[in-house]
Amino acid sequence: MSEVMTVLGPVAAAELGYVDAHEHLFLRTPALPGDEFMDAARSTAEATRVRASGIGTVVDLTPIGLGRRPAELAELSVASGLHVVAATGYHRSAHYPASHWAREVPDDLLLDIVLTDLTSGIDGRDWAGPRPVPTTVRAGIVKLGASYQRITADEDRWFRAGAQAAVRTGVPVAVHCETGTAGHEILDRLAELGVAAPRVLLCHLDRNPDLELHRELVSRGAYLVYDTVGRIKYGPDTRILDLVEGMAGAGLADHLCLGTDVGRRSMLRAYGGAPGMDVLGRSFLPRLERRLGRDVVDLIMREAPAALLGSPGPPG
């Protein structure tokens, strides 16, 4: 039976329910100064709203060094009733200061840290030092990041570490595609590193609403996540509905996922912001069902993410 590693342990992929495939439940990054959200009670309140909207699982794609709180994620999962899949790996270069250790340590240490998160437990201090605080909360996905139109030299080192860890453990790889670019280049590089396209989730493709490109990427086997639901500064939600309809018309909806990628405190209802992490279940999915029917919603929210996240047998 296919299983997924959550922060509370392995769960059958068939038991995940509807999956929000790109979120952040805690986040702190120098790329977004003053918009961090690290309060456990407020994150739990936000997660509880997500669960009430009909979502059963959240994939938290916060990578190493950006405010991960593994013990609090586990507590949040219990309190909210949400399954949570945590990430390891390294983001795009813009999220790490020039002096960050991830730019300086040798390749074998970069790999060892990711493997530790996947097989033993995420460091309670998110590898910020001065020494690790072991937990038993394991990651279930590798997160990587590419810059606009390219993979930088530092990012390529992080790709190598993340890909090796994914190959050894069987977990999938999610990749930040800046403004929805470099999708083919990312798949090419990961293939060179041993990660096949059907184990890859490309993020933010709806920021580059090029339906022909999306069909090409999915035809290679990759999964896409349209993750700007409710974030109108990137365009109206009808843009995402149109993309889903176009992909479904080509018979490719089985490789689509959805998320809201909340990355700012000002977007969270628990902090007095909007539209809230629950916007996907609360308002977008009813619109999608009215347009394309429940079967398409089930395919995108349940079947596609379960196929991507699952691995044969118990993880590790």
Side-chain angles (χ1 to χ4, degrees):
M1 179 180 294
S2 180
E3 291 188 328
V4 179
M5 180 56 67
T6 76
V7 296
L8 298 180
V11 171
E15 300 300 320
L16 295 176
Y18 277 13
V19 178
D20 179 336
H22 189 172
E23 286 304 343
H24 302 281
L25 291 162
F26 297 98
L27 186 67
R28 179 176 54 222
T29 169
L32 298 171
D35 234 338
E36 66 279 352
F37 44 99
M38 298 295 290
D39 183 273
R42 292 184 181 186
S43 289
T44 300
E46 200 76 24
T48 301
R49 291 189 179 100
V50 172
R51 184 70 189 94
S53 76
I55 304 296
T57 299
V58 161
V59 182
D60 184 326
L61 289 181
T62 308
I64 291 167
L66 300 189
R68 296 182 306 167
R69 301 185 67 181
E72 288 81 359
L73 274 183
E75 293 168 359
L76 175 153
S77 179
V78 171
S80 67
L82 269 179
H83 296 303
V84 178
V85 179
T88 183
Y90 306 94
H91 212 317
R92 67 185 179 101
S93 186
H95 286 277
Y96 299 105
S99 60
H100 195 276
W101 58 260
R103 301 182 188 274
E104 301 171 354
V105 300
D107 290 357
D108 59 349
L109 183 53
L110 290 174
L111 172 60
D112 184 66
I113 288 170
V114 177
L115 284 172
T116 298
D117 285 351
L118 290 167
T119 62
S120 300
I122 300 169
D123 172 38
R125 293 196 179 107
D126 196 13
W127 302 104
R131 64 177 61 182
V133 177
T135 76
T136 59
V137 176
R138 293 165 59 184
I141 191 168
V142 170
K143 166 74 174 287
L144 300 169
S147 293
Y148 179 66
Q149 300 279 20
R150 68 193 184 107
I151 303 168
T152 69
D154 278 334
E155 290 161 1
D156 192 67
R157 290 184 67 225
W158 302 333
F159 264 59
R160 293 198 301 271
Q164 288 181 64
V167 169
R168 292 191 191 184
T169 59
V171 302
V173 176
V175 186
H176 170 96
C177 304
E178 182 67 10
T179 323
T181 63
H184 281 300
E185 293 80 1
I186 289 165
L187 293 182
D188 290 344
R189 184 62 180 127
L190 288 174
E192 293 170 353
L193 295 167
V195 180
R199 300 302 292 154
V200 179
L201 177 67
L202 298 174
C203 305
H204 315 312
L205 267 293
D206 52 327
R207 297 190 195 179
N208 179 15
D210 183 334
L211 187 59
E212 183 176 354
L213 170 66
H214 296 191
R215 289 175 173 175
E216 290 173 359
L217 295 168
V218 169
S219 294
R220 294 183 64 174
Y223 288 79
L224 313 182
V225 56
Y226 297 155
D227 49 20
T228 57
V229 171
R231 302 171 68 183
I232 308 306
K233 69 177 182 178
Y234 295 112
D237 280 348
T238 51
R239 163 186 53 100
I240 303 174
L241 291 168
D242 291 344
L243 285 171
V244 173
E245 185 170 20
M247 295 295 281
L252 300 174
D254 61 343
H255 276 59
L256 294 183
C257 301
L258 291 170
T260 73
D261 184 24
V262 167
R264 296 175 182 269
R265 177 193 309 184
S266 53
M267 296 170 60
L268 295 168
R269 295 172 71 191
Y271 287 87
M277 196 180 294
D278 64 337
V279 66
L280 175 60
R282 173 170 44 88
S283 66
F284 185 83
L285 292 184
R287 293 181 65 183
L288 181 59
E289 182 174 351
R290 286 195 297 270
R291 184 185 287 209
L292 296 177
R294 173 60 67 89
D295 286 348
V296 171
V297 175
D298 286 347
L299 185 64
I300 293 171
M301 292 300 298
R302 188 192 311 274
E303 297 175 34
L308 170 73
L309 293 168
S311 60

